[in-house]
Amino acid sequence: MILHHDTPPQGTVRDWLDHRASEGGTAFVFTEDWSTLTWEELRAEAARIASALTAAGHAKGESIAVMHPNGRAGVVALYAALYGGFRTTIINLAAGQDAIAYALTHCEARAAFVHDSVAELFAKARPEHMALLDPQAPGSDTELHEIAPQDHALLMYTSGTTGTPKGVVHTQSSLLAGGWTTTIAHALTPEDRGLCVLPICHINGLCVTLMGALVSGGSLAMAPKFSASQFWSQAGHASCTWASVVPTIISHLLQGSDGPDKNTKLRFCRSASSALAPDVQTAFEARFALPIVETMGLTETAAQILSNPLPPGTRKIGSPGTAYGNEVAILGPDLSPCPPEVEGEIAIRGPNVMLEYLKNPEATAQTFAGNWLRSGDLGRMDADGYVFVTGRLKELIIKGGENIAPREIDEALYSHADVVEAAAFARPCASYGERVEAAVRLRDGSPLSAAELIALCTEKLGAFKTPDHVYLLPELPKGPSGKIQRRKLTELTKSS
């Protein structure tokens, strides 16, 4: 298999795993016990389990559910289903029992790989017919299903914060393209080792890190979950050269007392999943002398669509960058491209775009404008092709008929060094239709008051956009990727 920077990877995940196994080398290092998994070992285990699934009568493209946290067993289960030509159905372990039950039923899987740590949750959410799969089942000489690049490979459910979760279907081809966009944007090579602290049941953890390593030929150090107290030591012990994180992780690291040691091999951290406040990025880089490459991706695009270039390329603070491996445009209300600096909806087309929403042709049709996938995010593009995200269509606060982007308020709050997490949101209001409120988590021991934060916003934004109330919370609700779930805040703070 040959990797080209101007054309997406050809073939299937099986082809690429076979190729990596033939080359040899370490694929994973697991930080909980520092055990390793080579590409050859991973291929052998994946092939054995895939043959057992095939012999048991599971059809090509059939959903195989995977309920696993980060770790060796989860990686093997995921690759086994992909290798066998099944539709690997990753279940978001943080979604809650109802959403998990919906996904397990909707995907029509007959069987699931389930980690012991979530066995009780699975027992409560499982459909009656669903069986447990044994990862130790012996292999079979049954010939594996023939698979092609356009066959179903991955089914991942959206968070469902705006309604019923939708099942995003990726093909073998689009899944590989997700790893390729990361590889070419960050110039990943077989010598690179990423630090994976994001859950692989989320598109960032799965495509950016797992598929990025498969396509680039590098390796991963995988942690069970993010730990602020262990992040730097894990990166150093495993000789990691890069890490994929989210803005809340960056804020937590900035508040910690540790940092990379002088012998670190880290050359950059990439940030995705939600907007990174410019003041947080600037403070992080000044303190740790480590560049942050801001990016943007979607479940529907196998993660990355935009990235800033690596140094010494021009990184524009406040922008997730330019398109790599796909095309990005700003569409107006008539769905035609907007000129530079004009706000519209961010849209994407390319090899990494999903096939469809499973069993939901209406949502699929609404999401596509011709061959452009509509993101639901608002933004503008400058003359250099850098995109600046200005808000989300469904999250705009409409106060007195004026549109207010929550991100603008978030950034004002993050400008104070004591703010670890911040999110503005709308509250129904009889006078204005909606009013602005915000929730904030402060660093431990901070004496900062809500009144002082309101004064800060007034100074930076003016009275109209300033939150009427700022709630100081011990923790803001977050999804599995660490993204703050803004829509939960209205209910969470109702009686505060």
Side-chain angles (χ1 to χ4, degrees):
M1 310 298 293
I2 300 175
L3 179 64
H4 298 283
H5 277 231
D6 53 351
T7 56
Q10 305 300 303
T12 66
V13 171
R14 184 192 295 170
D15 295 331
W16 280 83
L17 186 52
D18 284 343
H19 175 60
R20 293 299 171 216
S22 70
E23 291 188 321
T26 299
F28 291 88
V29 177
F30 299 101
T31 65
E32 64 265 41
D33 59 5
W34 298 108
S35 63
T36 61
L37 180 65
T38 67
W39 287 112
E40 190 172 12
E41 289 168 338
L42 176 57
R43 193 273 302 271
E45 290 197 45
R48 171 182 58 79
I49 298 171
S51 69
L53 291 171
T54 308
H58 293 283
K60 184 178 87 168
E62 177 183 332
S63 278
I64 299 292
V66 176
M67 287 184 65
H68 271 267
N70 285 14
R72 179 184 177 120
V75 168
V76 170
L78 187 156
Y79 267 107
L82 289 171
Y83 196 88
F86 307 107
R87 187 168 59 206
T88 308
T89 303
I90 307 295
I91 302 299
N92 175 358
L93 302 180
Q97 182 179 323
D98 289 349
I100 290 173
Y102 174 84
L104 290 174
T105 301
H106 183 265
C107 74
E108 298 181 351
R110 292 186 290 147
F113 290 107
V114 180
H115 192 265
D116 289 346
S117 64
V118 292
E120 185 177 346
L121 177 59
F122 174 70
K124 293 177 180 177
R126 67 188 293 181
E128 288 185 12
H129 67 275
M130 187 169 286
L132 271 175
L133 289 168
D134 178 9
Q136 304 305 321
S140 163
D141 58 3
T142 302
E143 188 172 341
L144 297 181
H145 299 299
E146 289 188 13
I147 51 176
Q150 292 309 308
D151 287 336
H152 286 203
L154 177 71
L155 175 61
M156 182 174 283
Y157 285 84
T158 60
S159 62
T161 55
T162 58
T164 302
K166 296 191 288 288
V168 175
V169 176
H170 278 288
T171 63
Q172 295 274 336
S173 177
S174 64
L175 190 56
L176 288 169
W180 173 69
T181 57
T182 302
T183 296
I184 61 173
H186 305 325
L188 298 180
T189 72
E191 284 69 51
D192 279 302
R193 174 169 290 170
L195 177 58
C196 178
V197 296
L198 300 177
I200 59 173
C201 60
H202 184 267
I203 202 69
N204 190 330
L206 194 153
C207 278
V208 169
T209 55
L210 262 72
M211 290 297 112
L214 177 69
V215 173
S216 70
S219 59
L220 285 179
M222 177 173 284
K225 60 182 178 180
F226 167 69
S227 167
S229 63
Q230 298 181 50
F231 180 88
W232 298 114
S233 62
Q234 288 170 342
H237 187 79
S239 298
C240 294
T241 60
W242 67 285
S244 184
V245 296
V246 295
T248 50
I249 287 178
I250 293 169
S251 289
H252 283 268
L253 292 174
L254 193 54
Q255 295 297 324
S257 58
D258 298 328
D261 64 40
K262 61 181 180 181
N263 298 316
T264 184
K265 294 185 178 181
L266 284 171
R267 57 188 180 93
F268 70 94
C269 286
R270 72 184 297 283
S271 177
S273 292
S274 59
L276 177 62
D279 285 318
V280 174
Q281 180 170 356
T282 302
F284 184 96
E285 294 185 352
R287 177 177 170 187
F288 299 124
L290 185 67
I292 293 179
V293 175
E294 187 174 6
T295 69
M296 180 179 177
L298 311 169
T299 303
E300 289 86 347
T301 59
Q304 185 173 287
I305 57 172
L306 298 165
S307 176
N308 277 273
L310 294 171
T314 300
R315 289 179 299 131
K316 295 193 177 184
I317 304 295
S319 167
T322 64
Y324 281 86
N326 51 207
E327 296 177 75
V328 174
I330 308 298
L331 303 184
D334 62 353
L335 301 181
S336 63
C338 295
E341 303 296 353
V342 174
E343 185 182 74
E345 184 177 3
I346 299 170
I348 309 98
R349 65 184 177 191
N352 54 324
V353 171
M354 71 171 188
L355 179 66
E356 63 184 359
Y357 291 119
L358 184 69
K359 300 189 293 189
N360 197 338
E362 296 82 6
T364 302
Q366 291 169 4
T367 299
F368 283 95
N371 57 356
W372 289 102
L373 182 136
R374 302 174 59 184
S375 71
D377 289 300
L378 295 171
R380 57 182 175 82
M381 184 183 293
D382 69 12
D384 299 322
Y386 287 74
V387 173
F388 291 81
V389 181
T390 54
R392 183 150 181 83
L393 283 170
K394 293 176 180 177
E395 289 184 347
L396 283 175
I397 303 167
I398 305 174
K399 179 180 177 181
E402 297 280 339
N403 289 349
I404 300 173
R407 176 177 177 171
E408 189 176 0
I409 301 156
D410 297 351
E411 291 181 356
L413 293 164
Y414 275 119
S415 69
H416 197 290
D418 284 4
V419 173
V420 179
E421 298 172 1
F425 58 94
R427 174 85 65 190
C429 170
S431 300
Y432 290 99
E434 290 182 334
R435 67 173 184 262
V436 182
E437 296 191 354
V440 167
R441 175 185 174 180
L442 300 175
R443 68 168 176 81
D444 292 343
S446 171
L448 195 62
S449 69
E452 288 172 306
L453 286 171
I454 289 173
L456 173 67
C457 289
T458 303
E459 178 186 341
K460 288 183 169 289
L461 304 171
F464 186 76
K465 293 182 179 179
T466 292
D468 290 297
H469 297 282
V470 172
Y471 302 92
L472 302 181
L473 303 179
E475 191 84 26
L476 271 60
K478 290 180 285 292
S481 70
K483 182 190 239 179
I484 294 170
Q485 296 177 312
R486 202 182 299 272
R487 288 182 165 266
K488 289 188 175 181
L489 289 169
T490 305
E491 184 66 25
L492 186 65
T493 59
K494 187 164 60 174
S495 58
S496 297

